Amino acid sequence: SHIHSQLPTHHKYCSSPTMTSSSSTFPKEVVDPHHHFIDTANTSFQSFMRSAAGGDVSFLPEDYTRDVIEPISKLGVQFYGSVHVEAIPDSGAAEVAWVEEMSAAGRCAYVKAFVASCDLTQDNVEEELQK
């Protein structure tokens, strides 16, 4: 079986032709440069995602650990961390605070950086960028 069936296909390292279970060529270490956490039922800032999905959806740290970290660890790949990328939130600052809260609770301490959104046309843009 291919690793493609074990990992979400949106991860760049899943698309490599050498990344199959019958192959011995794997990276020794990895930082995931792009993933999202979503919990439309329990957050107030993911209304677009809720609307686009046609209902509530979730992908939380425990899902990421199960779907990404555990499978690559079984292959002997050292997971060093990840970058959480905004998921079209109503408030980029609220989304970052939510992920930071989950990290402080020990749910996703592997998140090392963020790509966050900020409406640069808002009156309090300087304040928002400082958050």
Side-chain angles (χ1 to χ4, degrees):
S1 87
H2 292 279
I3 192 169
H4 289 83
S5 64
Q6 299 173 15
L7 295 175
T9 57
H10 66 278
H11 292 280
K12 293 184 187 254
Y13 54 81
C14 293
S15 61
S16 169
T18 61
M19 296 297 285
T20 65
S21 60
S22 61
S23 172
S24 62
T25 305
F26 295 101
K28 293 181 184 194
E29 53 198 31
V30 68
V31 172
D32 184 350
H34 183 152
H35 73 85
H36 311 278
F37 292 137
I38 301 169
D39 188 7
T40 60
N42 298 300
T43 60
S44 62
F45 55 83
Q46 294 181 326
S47 64
F48 176 82
M49 291 300 294
R50 183 179 305 105
S51 176
D56 287 323
V57 293
S58 71
F59 187 77
L60 295 167
E62 297 76 17
D63 302 310
Y64 185 84
T65 297
R66 179 196 64 231
D67 294 348
V68 178
I69 298 172
E70 289 173 0
I72 66 172
S73 295
K74 288 178 184 174
L75 296 171
V77 177
Q78 177 67 43
F79 181 81
Y80 280 106
S82 69
V83 178
H84 182 273
V85 177
E86 60 96 6
I88 314 173
D90 303 331
S91 166
E95 184 179 42
V96 168
W98 175 63
V99 176
E100 287 178 333
E101 287 171 14
M102 290 190 294
S103 182
R107 294 177 64 192
C108 57
Y110 49 80
V111 174
K112 305 299 183 192
F114 294 91
V115 175
S117 63
C118 178
D119 179 355
L120 299 178
T121 65
Q122 62 189 342
D123 292 335
N124 66 339
V125 68
E126 291 294 328
E127 178 186 323
E128 195 68 17
L129 287 170
Q130 296 302 317
K131 291 183 181 178

